[in-house]
Amino acid sequence: MFIKFLKWLFQVGPKRMLYLVIVEVYNYFDLKLYKYNIYFKKSSSRKSYSGYSPCPYVFYSMSIFSLASMIDTRKYAFYDLGSGCGIVLFFARGQGFKSVKGYEVDREVFLVSLKNFPMLNVENIDCRNITYLNQHSVFFIYEICAVAIFDEILDRLVHVKDHYLIIIHNEYRLSYLNSLANKNYITMDSYAFTEKKGYSIFKSSHTT
């Protein structure tokens, strides 16, 4: 895993490497440069979010770097479907995407993301209620709680002819692969950090 990660670091060039180092430093210090803590350690609602945690840094950084090595990110819009505290969007802003936007249905988590990163473009809305533009797009998905919800999201993406999916999965999310196979998605990359946890990148069958 470490060798593969180093390979991606050299592929993305010095500017992205510098950005990666900056983000890693922020993560190391738990983003204490910000007034609000993204992991809810200082939140009055910590008990209600005891099961919440942001996407692990190594998951989103490696998966986004992998996709960035395959496409011209300047032509693609990046969407985080369930953007949580905003850390993935913050990282994606430095990868050269045409635009970066997130959707978070939970009101309190949404407000925390704005306090963490006021520069982000995030809406407090269910991503299943969005009509996405038919443009070159990348959709990042983490912590989808049910296959039925995932199927609804895929139905929303049918008309987006050229798009990629980045899915961070564990033992529960592996069942999503059946839904993707039924809609003829093509696997572009897949990596397992452990036996049950990893990421996969899929391309829509309409991509040209």
Side-chain angles (χ1 to χ4, degrees):
M1 181 180 71
F2 182 70
I3 295 177
K4 186 173 184 178
F5 187 53
L6 286 179
K7 180 180 178 181
W8 285 337
L9 283 179
F10 286 106
Q11 284 180 338
V12 298
K15 289 185 178 180
R16 287 183 181 171
M17 286 179 67
L18 177 60
Y19 186 85
L20 173 64
V21 171
I22 293 173
V23 173
E24 178 67 5
V25 170
Y26 281 175
N27 281 338
Y28 180 78
F29 287 104
D30 207 18
L31 293 181
K32 291 180 180 179
L33 293 177
Y34 292 88
K35 183 178 179 180
Y36 295 84
N37 189 291
I38 66 170
Y39 301 109
F40 293 89
K41 289 178 181 177
K42 298 179 182 178
S43 171
S44 60
S45 303
R46 184 182 179 187
K47 289 185 178 180
S48 64
Y49 284 95
S50 59
Y52 173 83
S53 63
C55 179
Y57 169 75
V58 69
F59 284 21
Y60 65 76
S61 61
M62 291 182 69
S63 59
I64 293 175
F65 273 142
S66 177
L67 179 60
S69 69
M70 305 177 196
I71 65 175
D72 183 351
T73 56
R74 295 171 298 179
K75 298 180 179 179
Y76 283 80
F78 182 95
Y79 297 95
D80 189 351
L81 307 185
S83 52
C85 62
I87 187 63
V88 174
L89 288 175
F90 178 69
F91 181 83
R93 287 179 77 246
Q95 308 313 310
F97 288 100
K98 179 180 178 181
S99 61
V100 175
K101 187 165 187 175
Y103 299 104
E104 175 53 52
V105 68
D106 189 292
R107 179 68 179 175
E108 187 169 357
V109 178
F110 163 74
L111 291 176
V112 170
S113 72
L114 296 184
K115 292 173 181 178
N116 286 329
F117 309 107
M119 76 292 289
L120 296 180
N121 184 3
V122 186
E123 289 189 33
N124 180 209
I125 190 171
D126 192 324
C127 62
R128 293 173 293 173
N129 297 329
I130 302 296
T131 299
Y132 299 97
L133 296 176
N134 183 17
Q135 61 179 345
H136 305 303
S137 301
V138 175
F139 298 95
F140 185 94
I141 300 177
Y142 176 69
E143 292 292 354
I144 298 290
C145 61
V147 174
I149 294 177
F150 184 62
D151 287 338
E152 289 184 54
I153 294 174
L154 291 183
D155 288 340
R156 283 285 182 176
L157 304 183
V158 170
H159 74 284
V160 184
K161 302 303 182 183
D162 181 1
H163 71 268
Y164 290 81
L165 292 176
I166 298 177
I167 299 177
I168 309 300
H169 55 74
N170 60 21
E171 63 270 29
Y172 303 106
R173 301 183 189 93
L174 291 178
S175 58
Y176 300 160
L177 296 177
N178 291 330
S179 297
L180 291 164
N182 291 336
K183 294 186 180 297
N184 299 317
Y185 277 86
I186 303 169
T187 302
M188 302 300 294
D189 188 25
S190 186
Y191 192 82
F193 297 98
T194 66
E195 182 179 353
K196 296 181 179 180
K197 296 183 179 181
Y199 73 81
S200 296
I201 299 175
F202 301 93
K203 180 175 72 171
S204 66
S205 58
H206 300 291
T207 303
T208 57

